[in-house]
Amino acid sequence: MNPETIIESVEFLKHKGITAPEVGIVLGTGLGQLLNEITIESEVHYNHIPHFPLATVEFHEGKLVYGTLQGKKVVVMQGRFHLYEGYDFTDITYPIRVMHGLGIQKLLISNAAGAINTSYRKGDLMLLDDHINLQGGSPLAFKNVAAFGERFVDMSTPYDTQMRTSLISLATKHDITLHQGVYASVVGPQLETRAEYRFLKIIGADAVGMSTVPEVIVANHLKLPVVAVSVLTDECDPDNLKPVSVTEIIAVASKAEPKMITLFKELIEVL
Ligand code: HPA
């Protein structure tokens, strides 16, 4: 990877009308309804963007959407790239660098995750206040990372305090349960065993999922303020574990999504 490829992707998107986004949004699995709230000006499929990772067959829906939300220009990733699809760390975080190149000042991330904390219920939301990277690698571990910024990025406050505080008060205002906890990222795509859920709980995780952490690391590398919200889709209690399917995870995610939409919309308004 080199900085010129990012510039080429950015220039292409500017020609497609994605000119001046202020906020970037990543929509997680089962979380697409936010797009209905946006006055759309431009849409570009990932596989048309130069240097974007080549989309897999199941991923043909992936696109960048540009438009206005609550009076602000936003660029939205409808669908993200995952390690479990065979991409590497630089692939899955490439779109974050491109959105930054387009000019976003803030990044809002969503994901579907399993609830490790047994006081959380499925359908609840969790605001990430920290994370544990269990994906066995880093999006900053590549040869010419120095051409993009410093290598040894500070991670003492990975999630933006001001946006977190705003989200917490918005949740209170709307009577939405918003837990605050630690997200552990795994590669997947298999879900976890009971022993793994037990381990995740012992090491201090409140939720587990297969994304987000690499994107947050790159946002910190770019000094781009970021917040992330998990929609909890299943309860990972090792002593009372029921089989869970992806269909069910997606169904719970879309049912809970309106709460996340309320929070993201109002956050964007006050940014
Ligand atoms: N584990 C990992 N990823 C997930 C889960 C889970 O239980 N639920 C939704 N994404």
Side-chain angles (χ1 to χ4, degrees), residues 76-91:
V76 182
M77 284 181 69
Q78 166 67 73
R80 59 153 63 87
F81 298 92
H82 298 90
L83 290 173
Y84 64 72
E85 292 164 293
Y87 301 108
D88 65 28
F89 279 98
T90 47
D91 291 332

Side-chain angles (χ1 to χ4, degrees), residues 179-199:
H179 306 293
Q180 295 159 56
V182 175
Y183 173 96
S185 66
V186 294
V187 174
Q190 72 286 350
L191 296 166
E192 289 69 37
T193 63
R194 283 176 296 137
E196 287 165 341
Y197 286 136
R198 230 170 252 129
F199 162 79

Side-chain angles (χ1 to χ4, degrees), residues 112-114 186 191-192 197 208-210 233-234 236 249:
V186 294
L191 296 166
E192 289 69 37
Y197 286 136
V208 58
M210 304 172 191
T233 54
D234 50 305
C236 311
I249 285 175

Side-chain angles (χ1 to χ4, degrees), residues 3 5 8 16 48 50 54 58 103 116 129-130 138 142 166 169 173 179 197 201 219 231 245 260 262:
T5 61
E8 284 172 21
K16 292 284 173 192
H48 295 155
L54 267 187
E58 79 182 284
I116 300 292
D129 61 21
D130 210 339
S138 163
F142 62 97
S166 301
S169 50
K173 173 179 153 197
H179 306 293
Y197 286 136
K201 187 173 183 169
V231 176
S245 70
M260 189 203 84
T262 301

